[in-house]
DNA sequence: GTAAACCACGTACTATGGTCTACAAATGTT
DNA sequence: AACATTTGTAGACCATAGTACGTGGTTTAC
């Protein structure tokens, strides 16, 4: 079984944002988040809280559960192993 | 429009956990999270990251998107206002 | 009653979410 | 080429996610 430490949103976030032809700066403005933070999310350096998921989804025009559903598809077959046990 | 600062998972989390007749400690063990942290989530003192949502959903036997869908239903009509603008 | 399970709650601590400023490196446009 | 737009990246900073310890209070069962 494949193991990962965290759920990362970079691929999904970038894909949706590009499909909406939106820049990081525009997404940052619409979600009232920082542009450099959006960049970090897309490069999988940070992971968002549930509130940030809601903000991003709203700004991208889809439901948070739809966003999360795309994450599920990406991480099918993976289990999360906690490093700090 | 009703405004909130954060998405809180307390009500949904507690409801699902109780419906599965699971204690906080058992949920903590299954999700490899701390029991007192589960307690804080249920009392809306902390908000989880997306990884924690996945861990909790897995432990509770539902899909993360289903968990988030329940949150959506709870927060229909609410907008998130950022305090730290 | 008393034991045992469950949970609220406090405090202290480490790790990381998220902001902000600034600059470099791509990428696109003409 | 030159210019504008977009994105990567670093470093400092504050707020909070998450752990770990304890204590006390409530419920359920014997």
């Amino acid at each position: 079984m494949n193991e990962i430490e965290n759920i990362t949103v970079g691929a999904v976030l970038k894909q949706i944002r590009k499909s909406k032809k939106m820049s990081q700066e525009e997404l940052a403005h619409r979600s009232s988040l920082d542009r450099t933070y959006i960049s970090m999310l897309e490069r999988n350096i940070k992971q968002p809280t549930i509130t940030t998921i809601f903000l991003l989804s709203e700004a991208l025009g889809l439901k948070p559960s739809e966003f999360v559903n795309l994450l599920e598809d990406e991480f099918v077959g993976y289990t999360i192993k906690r490093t700090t046990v």
Side-chain angles (χ1 to χ4, degrees), chain A:
Chain A
M1 184 69 78
N2 292 319
E3 290 185 338
I4 54 175
E5 294 192 1
N6 295 309
I7 296 295
T8 50
V9 303
V12 167
L13 179 58
K14 189 167 189 172
Q15 177 198 338
I16 301 177
R17 178 179 64 80
K18 291 243 166 188
S19 78
K20 307 279 180 176
K21 305 204 181 312
M22 204 181 299
S23 68
Q24 288 182 355
E25 185 161 8
E26 184 178 354
L27 176 56
H29 184 256
R30 288 211 218 193
S31 61
S32 59
L33 291 165
D34 195 81
R35 187 194 64 77
T36 63
Y37 178 57
I38 304 283
S39 173
M40 289 178 182
L41 287 177
E42 289 192 355
R43 286 176 290 136
N44 296 329
I45 295 175
K46 304 263 181 166
Q47 59 165 329
T49 60
I50 184 64
T51 297
T52 300
I53 292 285
F54 271 64
L55 285 169
L56 290 172
S57 300
E58 169 83 9
L60 290 168
L62 73 164
K63 294 171 63 178
S65 59
E66 290 171 349
F67 190 101
V68 173
N69 191 57
L70 293 174
L71 293 178
E72 282 169 14
D73 293 344
E74 185 181 354
F75 289 101
V76 162
Y78 285 82
T79 54
I80 305 172
K81 80 160 157 52
R82 307 253 69 195
T83 50
T84 51
V85 173

